[in-house]
Amino acid sequence: MSAVPPRTGKPGGRFRRMLDRLSSSQGELESEELQEDAEAAGCTRICDCGDRQIVKVTGTLRTVTLRPRAGVPALEAELFDGTAPLDVVWLGRRSIVGIEPGRKLIASGRISMSQGRRVLFNPKYELRPLGQE
């Protein structure tokens, strides 16, 4: 009698993957694609980032807003990599060319926690070429 192998998290076979893609929502597919991009770029998944950790992350900017902090202008953006959101904040900036919703970027710096959210202040960043979006 042969035992049935345990099912892993990964679907088996091309047909099964195709069925899974057809039954997945658009948001799930986009999240999966962002996670693959992060892995290919050698970046840390945002959900794995801890307080005070130096990281390199990548994702898509979902929102970009100008929100003063302590009377100083601050450009805030929400970066999403398919696992969790990360607030990216540039203090003393009202705008940065290329920082706009829908743009992909790689950011690096030290993560901090603020009101239960991960925040990256004044990160080094690299805009991803528009053709790769």
Side-chain angles (χ1 to χ4, degrees), residues 8-57:
T8 61
K10 301 255 184 204
R14 245 185 312 176
F15 182 70
R16 179 73 185 157
R17 284 192 301 269
M18 183 181 72
L19 283 177
D20 285 345
R21 287 189 68 82
L22 289 173
S23 65
S24 297
S25 71
Q26 184 65 27
E28 290 171 336
L29 294 174
E30 288 173 358
S31 290
E32 189 177 300
E33 184 179 314
L34 287 170
Q35 290 177 46
E36 290 170 3
D37 287 349
E39 187 176 321
C43 294
T44 306
R45 296 181 334 161
I46 293 173
C47 68
D48 295 336
C49 296
D51 191 26
R52 309 289 303 151
Q53 181 181 0
I54 296 176
V55 297
K56 178 180 169 187
V57 295

Side-chain angles (χ1 to χ4, degrees), residues 14-131:
R14 245 185 312 176
F15 182 70
R16 179 73 185 157
R17 284 192 301 269
M18 183 181 72
L19 283 177
D20 285 345
R21 287 189 68 82
L22 289 173
S23 65
S24 297
S25 71
Q26 184 65 27
E28 290 171 336
L29 294 174
E30 288 173 358
S31 290
E32 189 177 300
E33 184 179 314
L34 287 170
Q35 290 177 46
E36 290 170 3
D37 287 349
E39 187 176 321
C43 294
T44 306
R45 296 181 334 161
I46 293 173
C47 68
D48 295 336
C49 296
D51 191 26
R52 309 289 303 151
Q53 181 181 0
I54 296 176
V55 297
K56 178 180 169 187
V57 295
T58 187
T60 300
L61 296 175
R62 287 207 253 186
T63 61
V64 178
T65 56
L66 177 61
R67 184 171 299 139
R69 287 180 174 247
V72 176
L75 186 64
E76 293 188 11
E78 182 183 81
L79 185 70
F80 184 68
D81 73 346
T83 65
L86 169 70
D87 294 332
V88 182
V89 180
W90 289 274
L91 298 170
R93 302 296 299 264
R94 294 184 186 280
S95 66
I96 299 174
V97 176
I99 301 297
E100 55 197 27
R103 189 70 189 257
K104 291 184 181 180
L105 65 85
I106 296 173
S108 59
R110 187 177 302 272
I111 295 283
S112 64
M113 296 298 285
S114 175
Q115 299 173 355
R117 291 181 59 97
R118 293 172 183 88
V119 183
L120 192 57
F121 287 99
N122 295 324
K124 293 180 188 173
Y125 68 94
E126 174 184 333
L127 296 171
R128 305 288 297 270
L130 290 171

